[in-house]
Amino acid sequence: MPYRKYMKAINKHNQLMQKQCKQHINQYVQCHVMDGGVYEGYVEKVDKQNLYLIIEVKYKKKPGIQPRQYMGFPEPGLGFERIVLPLHFLTAISLVSY
């Protein structure tokens, strides 16, 4: 495939995925990527090239280490992390009911 056709196809795919992602801003979604991975989280924002997703992360306690104090509270086992997914790696995005 010639380079121009390839880039035109990538740009069309990015525009389609950007449109779908913008419809789901601030919603809990499931994203499928080309390598078979699946990500679930909240859509924070979308730009022309990337999807910004906030996912929940469970932290494991390390043996022998005292829990740190955060604002007077012990360290929780659950937190949030922001990941960036390039739109050209996305194959599908769908709402998740929870």
Side-chain angles (χ1 to χ4, degrees):
M1 176 184 288
Y3 180 74
R4 286 185 185 211
K5 276 189 173 181
Y6 173 75
M7 288 308 295
K8 193 173 184 178
I10 291 291
N11 288 337
K12 189 172 183 177
H13 174 78
N14 281 2
Q15 289 173 356
L16 175 66
M17 295 310 297
Q18 181 183 15
K19 183 179 177 183
Q20 289 181 359
C21 292
K22 280 187 176 182
Q23 293 174 353
H24 299 304
I25 288 181
N26 296 327
Q27 295 179 341
Y28 194 72
V29 296
Q30 186 176 59
C31 299
H32 296 264
V33 291
M34 287 184 184
D35 67 356
V38 179
Y39 298 93
E40 287 188 6
Y42 294 94
V43 176
E44 180 183 22
K45 66 181 180 176
V46 182
D47 60 23
K48 289 185 177 183
Q49 296 179 348
N50 298 311
L51 167 67
Y52 298 87
L53 201 63
I54 297 176
I55 61 172
E56 294 180 5
V57 179
K58 289 187 178 181
Y59 296 103
K60 295 180 182 177
K61 292 184 180 179
K62 295 179 183 175
I65 297 177
Q66 294 291 335
R68 294 181 299 180
Q69 295 289 316
Y70 179 74
M71 298 179 87
F73 297 100
E75 180 179 0
L78 183 65
F80 296 96
E81 186 175 301
R82 179 182 294 128
I83 61 171
V84 180
L85 298 174
L87 290 177
H88 62 273
F89 285 158
L90 287 177
T91 57
I93 183 169
S94 61
L95 282 175
V96 175
S97 59
Y98 58 97

